């Protein structure tokens, strides 16, 4: 039994598409075509303060201009909170969820990496 390979591109619409992301989308499209796989788009729109509809539209326009076509519809992370909550509840029921007892300083040190716009990664 063979499975169809699945490739995905998951931009965060918090600014224009940059060269590295464009290259990643093109590479995934090429790999999907070469392997007769699927190419999916997942919009990482959980950061409501930085993600904007105009950025998403511009990214989609740029990808279309590049000739990158995805299966429709795209998956928007913000529309699946219920799915994530159910999965978390299932993990909790199995005893696989635990509290983090790290200090705020340790969490801050672990998240010191920054996006080019200065936002924490």
């Amino acid at each position: 039994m063979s499975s169809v390979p699945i490739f995905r591109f998951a931009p965060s619409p918090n600014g224009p598409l940059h060269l590295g992301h464009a290259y990643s989308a093109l590479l995934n499209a090429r790999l999907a075509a070469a392997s007769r796989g699927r190419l999916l788009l997942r919009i990482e729109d959980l950061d409501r303060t930085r993600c904007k509809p105009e950025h998403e539209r511009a990214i989609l326009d740029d990808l279309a201009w590049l000739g990158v076509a995805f299966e429709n519809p795209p998956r928007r992370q913000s529309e699946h909170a219920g799915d994530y909550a159910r999965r978390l509840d299932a993990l909790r029921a199995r005893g696989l969820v635990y509290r983090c007892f790290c200090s705020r300083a340790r969490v801050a040190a672990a998240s010191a990496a920054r996006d080019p716009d200065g936002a924490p990664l």
Side-chain angles (χ1 to χ4, degrees):
M1 180 162 133
S2 73
S3 62
V4 175
I6 299 173
F7 299 85
R8 64 122 175 102
F9 179 64
S12 182
N14 57 15
L17 183 69
H18 63 73
L19 190 57
H21 281 152
Y23 179 72
S24 177
L26 285 166
L27 180 62
N28 279 312
R30 243 188 220 169
L31 290 169
S35 64
R36 294 192 169 105
R38 299 172 63 196
L39 181 59
L40 306 178
L41 177 63
R42 183 179 72 209
I43 304 296
E44 297 287 338
D45 62 346
L46 294 178
D47 184 344
R48 294 298 185 162
T49 60
R50 296 174 59 216
C51 295
K52 307 285 185 215
E54 59 269 22
H55 297 314
E56 182 177 335
R57 181 78 256 142
I59 289 170
L60 295 175
D61 289 347
D62 289 345
L63 291 169
W65 182 83
L66 289 168
V68 178
F70 299 93
E71 289 183 23
N72 285 319
R75 179 178 179 96
R76 284 182 178 71
Q77 293 292 81
S78 62
E79 296 173 356
H80 297 278
D83 295 338
Y84 308 135
R86 284 188 291 281
R87 294 298 195 311
L88 181 59
D89 288 343
L91 291 170
R92 192 174 283 122
R94 293 175 57 199
L96 298 174
V97 175
Y98 57 92
R99 279 186 165 282
C100 174
F101 294 100
C102 295
S103 67
R104 288 183 184 269
R106 186 167 181 193
V107 171
S111 62
R114 300 274 174 182
D115 251 355
D117 68 0
L121 290 175

